Amino acid sequence: MGRIFGTDGVRGVANRDLTAELAVDLAVAAAHVLGEVGAFADQRPTAVVARDPRASGEFLEAAVVAGLASAGVDVHCLGVVPTPGAAFLTSFLEADMGVMISASHNAMPDNGIKFLARGGLKLDDQLEVLIEDRLEEPWDRPTGAGVGRIGDSHAGVAAYVKHLVSTCPRPLDGLRVVLDCANGAAYEVGPAVFEELGATVIAIHAEPDGLNINDNCGSTHLDDLQVAVVRHGADAGFAFDGDADRCLAVDETGAVVDGDHILAILALAARDAGRLTDDTVVATVMSNLGFVQALESAGISVIQTAVGDRYVLEAMRAGGFNMGGEQSGHVIMGDYATTGDGVLTAVHLAARMAESGTPLSRLASVMTRLPQVLINVPGVDKSRADTDPTLLGEVAIASSRLGDTGRVLLRQSGTEPLVRVMVEAATAEQATEVAEHLAGVVRLTLSL
């Protein structure tokens, strides 16, 4: 079938690319692969399955559960839970594997399936390749008592809420916050956590109907949150995406606080508390140069990885670091979670505001964001982006012109035939000029 796993599981238009048949096959193959590599420790395996509220998640959940049970796996259905909640409950319930059905920030027609290993960790690339290789293969089916049993574990959500509350270093009494729940998986968890911590909560886009997830709301559409924060005189606003593994913020003036700012604020807070391992943060190559400069000037080292929270997590685990994240709002706080957690991020950002008595706008001023221009160039042969001599020559010339005041990054899309051209420079005009020039070179040299 070719490579179907992307950087974050299997994703596509539900019932066209991601069908019930494929969902069953993926679940069966995952059970077989994890069993054969010893993940089940020769015992009757258990799995947790969760989803976000999009309509297609209902039939895909049924298909995944059927596939797992037919392969002899006992299944606990969690219902609608954020991705980080599914990861936490995979560990908390001591399940041998977890499955999250979500397309994250994608539009409603899309959906996705991602698998978690014991402990709530994402599967590595090698295991995903093995799962792909086992799709649709003949296999011996268990019968009788050998088939898996299916039950509900919706009460697990309360354990996840309790966990999030327990991580907060102080109450949030006196804070007024707006939460944009993206009509997604955090529509109950987000408000519940903040209310239990004592904050005054105004929740918007917290009424999922299966069709309105990420629809002009959440972390990819911040306009409504900006308006609500100003209208309600809130101290801050926090926006989650459909599966709530990312968070972006809005300060008290309505200005956007992106993932780089959030990660910088939390890294400095952890450093000040003596909790930042080796005074090091892991980020991706997409983090703004201003972020890197701000942290390094504060004595914090920045390690940069390929784009994708899984690569951030891999670098964190390899080096023993406890904090990393992405500009998009994935922040991984390794002391409390195995993956990015939007609600957790929002809670700790609010706690930093409360304990310091400092407005979010002032906290965010710790870094100055360099002008950044990103141009997507579609319909090109992205495989040659790293090798075409003409293109590489132009990139070298542009990089030399920018010097220490900017940078150039060309990145192949993981899911589409396009190349992303990103340029940072001292001025927006210079960044735009260089980005548009390089985008033209990409169109010319990599044309199909």
Side-chain angles (χ1 to χ4, degrees):
M1 295 183 63
R3 187 88 168 113
I4 63 171
F5 278 91
T7 56
D8 200 19
V10 178
R11 194 175 294 186
V13 177
N15 217 28
R16 188 180 72 191
D17 307 315
L18 185 55
T19 63
E21 294 86 350
L22 178 57
V24 171
D25 289 341
L26 282 167
V28 170
H32 289 164
V33 167
L34 291 176
E36 290 180 5
V37 300
F40 299 154
D42 296 324
Q43 62 188 11
R44 187 176 177 92
T46 60
V48 298
V49 177
R51 63 180 178 87
D52 70 25
R54 68 189 76 214
S56 60
E58 297 167 3
F59 82 78
L60 288 171
E61 177 189 46
V64 166
V65 170
L68 291 173
S70 72
V73 179
D74 291 335
V75 183
H76 301 286
C77 297
L78 302 177
V80 174
V81 177
T83 289
F88 168 77
L89 291 169
T90 299
S91 176
F92 181 79
L93 297 174
E94 299 184 341
D96 298 293
M97 64 181 293
V99 186
M100 181 67 194
I101 300 164
S102 173
S104 188
H105 59 282
N106 285 28
M108 181 275 296
D110 289 352
N111 217 323
I113 298 174
K114 37 190 155 183
F115 294 96
L116 301 166
R118 189 174 183 86
L121 300 171
K122 291 185 178 182
L123 300 188
D124 59 34
D125 290 339
Q126 291 80 6
L127 287 177
E128 290 182 344
V129 171
L130 289 175
I131 291 171
E132 290 176 348
D133 291 343
R134 302 289 294 273
L135 289 172
E136 299 181 346
E137 70 171 2
W139 55 288
D140 294 328
R141 302 169 183 269
T143 59
V147 302
R149 305 299 298 273
I150 302 169
D152 290 333
S153 293
H154 293 183
V157 175
Y160 175 51
V161 170
K162 182 178 180 181
H163 162 68
L164 291 175
V165 170
S166 73
T167 72
C168 191
R170 55 159 295 148
L172 301 179
D173 298 334
L175 280 185
R176 177 185 294 267
V177 299
V178 180
L179 302 181
D180 184 341
C181 300
N183 291 315
Y187 79 103
E188 290 182 323
V189 168
V193 170
F194 272 87
E195 287 170 357
E196 192 162 335
L197 285 167
T200 299
V201 178
I202 299 100
I204 64 174
H205 301 299
E207 298 179 350
D209 61 10
L211 306 177
N212 58 3
I213 187 170
N214 298 322
D215 187 10
N216 291 313
C217 59
S219 62
T220 53
H221 300 86
L222 296 173
D223 292 354
D224 285 359
L225 181 62
Q226 292 174 286
V227 170
V229 166
V230 174
R231 177 186 300 148
H232 293 283
D235 297 291
F238 304 105
F240 312 120
D241 61 339
D243 69 338
D245 64 351
R246 67 172 71 182
C247 169
L248 293 181
V250 167
D251 70 21
E252 73 282 2
T253 72
V256 174
V257 179
D258 71 12
D260 283 343
H261 289 92
I262 293 170
L263 185 56
I265 294 168
L266 295 182
L268 289 168
R271 192 275 310 273
D272 292 347
R275 292 187 290 100
L276 185 63
T277 303
D278 294 338
D279 286 343
T280 299
V281 168
V282 179
T284 77
V285 293
M286 288 299 291
S287 283
N288 192 271
L289 184 58
F291 165 84
V292 177
Q293 293 172 340
L295 287 193
E296 290 184 345
S297 68
I300 296 175
S301 299
V302 179
I303 295 173
Q304 292 183 279
T305 73
V307 176
D309 61 323
R310 67 183 302 158
Y311 302 114
V312 173
L313 182 58
E314 286 175 4
M316 289 173 63
R317 293 174 63 191
F321 306 120
N322 65 342
M323 185 164 293
E326 294 188 283
Q327 189 182 80
S328 60
H330 284 113
V331 175
I332 304 172
M333 304 181 72
D335 290 340
Y336 312 113
T338 61
T339 185
D341 189 323
V343 179
L344 179 71
T345 299
V347 163
H348 282 261
L349 193 54
R352 181 61 166 171
M353 294 166 56
E355 67 186 3
S356 66
T358 306
L360 183 55
S361 60
R362 191 179 306 166
L363 289 174
S365 68
V366 67
M367 65 162 279
T368 300
R369 179 181 174 84
L370 292 183
Q372 184 183 85
V373 174
L374 177 65
I375 299 177
N376 292 329
V377 185
V380 295
D381 181 3
K382 63 181 181 180
S383 67
R384 294 192 286 118
D386 296 331
T387 59
D388 184 88
T390 301
L391 177 58
L392 294 180
E394 291 294 327
V395 169
I397 292 171
S399 298
S400 177
R401 283 179 53 202
L402 294 171
D404 294 336
T405 64
R407 65 182 180 125
V408 174
L409 176 67
L410 263 62
R411 186 167 68 90
Q412 305 170 26
S413 169
T415 57
E416 302 172 81
L418 63 82
V419 171
R420 307 187 196 281
V421 178
M422 190 273 282
V423 176
E424 291 170 346
T427 67
E429 293 77 13
Q430 186 180 26
T432 299
E433 176 191 350
V434 174
E436 289 180 345
H437 170 70
L438 290 177
V441 176
V442 169
R443 292 187 190 95
L444 182 64
T445 60
L446 304 185
S447 59
L448 294 171

